[in-house]
Amino acid sequence: MKGTVMAVDVAVIGAGVVGAACAHALTARGLRVAVIDRSSAASGTSSHCEGNLLVSDKGPGPELDLARHSLALWRQLAPQLADDLGPAVPPVEFEPKGGLVVTITAEGAQPLIDFAAQQRVAGVDARVVSLAQARELEPWLNPDITAAVYYPEDCQVQPTIATEALLAAARRRGAVSYFHHEVTGLITGKDGRVTGVRTDRADIPAASVVLAAGPWTGELATRLGAGVPVWPRRGNVLVTTRMPHSVFHKVYDGDYFGATQSSDAALQTAAVIESTQAGTVLIGSSREQVGFDNSMRVEVYAEMAKKALRVFPFLADAGIMRAYGGFRPFVPDHLPIIGPDARMPGLYHASGHEGAGIGLSVATAELVAAAITADSPRSPLGPIDPAPFAVQRPSLQAYLEEAA
């Protein structure tokens, strides 16, 4: 039998890393928060990814700006979480490992170098290095590479642990979790303002609601009457058996940036390789729009492996322990949707980060928390501009009109 639970200031729909970061930022401002998920914490995209905190894969513009703010926040937050939670929660495995982007072809060398120059103008530490320097950074690298750029700012966390840690810290400040609750609707007042969330098990009164359901946001938002163009885009990862530490940075080929910025629904792959603290090597990546089809296709993994071998030939002798896939929240203009929804006062969005959700999560949470509390969003780098990520931005207007 359904009932009504204690009212909160903010109900967050989605217990992935973005929802967890929002709960953390909101409780830090003294707000009472409920986190709602139809499953459990980090049960979707956040547990099916690599935990990247990258600036190397983003060209100058709003997403890169948000990534730089978020990385500055992560550098503060990782040790803070360890201090706040102690041994009760494992460390988030924050690694400032740096990234190395390479190209194997002659025609790919100059575009990679030119791209790095553009990033330097935007404030990124992007260092063009010689082949000898690249081999010092990565001794097992293919000696036939034609260009390399080193990004010392790139970092990584363990994404599932990071999500759990953010939620644990929020719960210590009073947040409550409603797991295995399927959201069925929003509660609204006579003036149309959102006043809570309905689930299949309870009504949860809330002064504001944050929709952070990752790739499921599009279909859920449509059911709730506030459709936004967020669609699933499938990605895959191969995991090797444990081996001596042989990959020391985040390493990928120059095709990766093009794949992240493409809107093509067809399969795209690029070599993305990095080690974990557990001793395995993660091999990606792929992107394709296949809805929520989670079937495993051998040809996709074969193409990923082939491209990884071009970067690190020694991986030919590696054993594959497992493979997994997940869905990224894709937005057609390649920017996340963050902030209030003018169509439904009291509703806020925090989704559409595609493959950058782990890295962008904490800056996203800062934008959401600041919007709800009428505060100014900031990071150690200074103010964060929310305008490029607004729900009602011009580049999404046609999609919003269609949804209406």
Side-chain angles (χ1 to χ4, degrees):
M1 187 175 189
K2 282 184 61 173
T4 299
V5 301
M6 181 180 68
V8 294
D9 297 312
V10 186
V12 178
I13 302 172
V17 70
V18 174
C22 287
H24 183 270
L26 289 161
T27 55
R29 283 169 164 79
L31 299 183
R32 297 168 300 160
V33 176
V35 180
I36 307 162
D37 199 284
R38 66 181 177 183
S39 185
S40 57
S43 58
T45 303
S46 298
S47 59
H48 294 77
C49 62
E50 297 167 296
N52 295 322
L53 315 179
L54 303 182
V55 294
S56 59
D57 64 340
K58 298 168 183 65
E63 188 184 26
L64 176 58
D65 294 341
L66 191 65
R68 295 185 66 232
H69 283 294
S70 208
L71 186 53
L73 287 165
W74 268 116
R75 290 184 183 279
Q76 286 186 339
L77 186 58
Q80 177 188 323
L81 288 170
D83 290 342
D84 291 348
L85 299 174
V89 176
V92 300
E93 298 182 15
F94 179 84
E95 273 193 277
K97 62 168 58 176
L100 186 68
V101 185
V102 302
T103 181
I104 307 296
T105 62
E107 60 271 20
Q110 194 58 49
L112 178 61
I113 293 168
D114 292 343
F115 181 65
Q118 296 169 21
Q119 289 177 301
R120 285 194 297 275
V121 173
V124 175
D125 188 354
R127 309 176 188 178
V128 178
V129 295
S130 67
L131 172 58
Q133 290 170 318
R135 295 275 297 207
E136 287 180 8
L137 293 166
E138 293 291 343
W140 294 94
L141 195 64
N142 187 340
D144 293 332
I145 64 166
T146 56
V149 181
Y150 174 49
Y151 292 88
E153 296 171 298
D154 280 357
C155 301
Q156 183 181 22
V157 293
Q158 208 294 334
T160 304
I161 297 174
T163 304
E164 294 277 13
L166 288 164
L167 280 174
R171 282 194 292 265
R172 289 199 172 194
R173 292 195 289 256
V176 292
S177 301
Y178 295 100
F179 293 152
H180 307 290
H181 278 244
E182 183 82 34
V183 172
T184 59
L186 297 174
I187 306 169
T188 56
K190 292 182 180 180
D191 60 355
R193 182 177 178 82
V194 174
T195 58
V197 177
R198 284 199 167 95
T199 80
D200 57 351
R201 297 172 60 184
D203 286 350
I204 304 169
S208 300
V209 173
V210 178
L211 182 51
W216 295 271
T217 293
E219 63 176 34
L220 179 55
T222 298
R223 285 196 281 116
L224 298 178
V228 288
V230 179
W231 309 313
R233 199 179 193 193
R234 181 172 169 82
N236 299 277
V237 176
L238 294 167
V239 186
T240 73
T241 53
R242 295 179 65 184
M243 64 176 69
H245 197 184
S246 304
V247 181
F248 302 94
H249 304 80
K250 172 90 176 182
V251 183
Y252 58 91
D253 69 36
D255 293 340
Y256 181 68
F257 175 74
T260 64
Q261 298 303 302
S262 171
S263 297
D264 196 335
L267 174 67
Q268 298 172 75
T269 59
V272 182
I273 308 105
E274 64 191 310
S275 294
T276 70
Q277 291 190 10
T280 60
V281 173
L282 306 180
I283 300 172
S285 72
S286 67
R287 279 171 162 77
E288 57 183 332
Q289 293 183 37
V290 292
F292 285 105
D293 180 1
N294 62 1
S295 58
M296 299 175 68
R297 296 194 290 126
V298 173
E299 63 271 22
V300 175
Y301 294 109
E303 189 171 324
M304 288 162 50
K306 181 179 179 180
K307 289 190 173 182
L309 291 175
R310 291 169 54 197
V311 178
F312 284 114
F314 84 92
L315 288 173
D317 297 324
I320 298 299
M321 178 173 63
R322 65 188 179 96
Y324 63 87
F327 301 101
R328 304 178 177 99
F330 169 81
V331 176
D333 67 357
H334 301 287
L335 290 176
I337 300 173
I338 308 168
D341 192 324
R343 299 167 298 178
M344 279 193 169
L347 177 65
Y348 297 78
H349 293 270
S351 188
H353 303 80
E354 202 177 337
I358 306 297
L360 300 180
S361 59
V362 291
T364 295
E366 176 64 18
L367 287 173
V368 170
I372 290 174
T373 59
D375 196 2
S376 297
R378 299 185 64 84
S379 83
L381 300 182
I384 308 174
D385 182 9
F389 315 104
V391 180
Q392 275 79 22
R393 59 186 183 254
S395 55
L396 297 186
Q397 198 58 45
Y399 298 96
L400 297 180
E401 291 173 358
E402 183 179 344

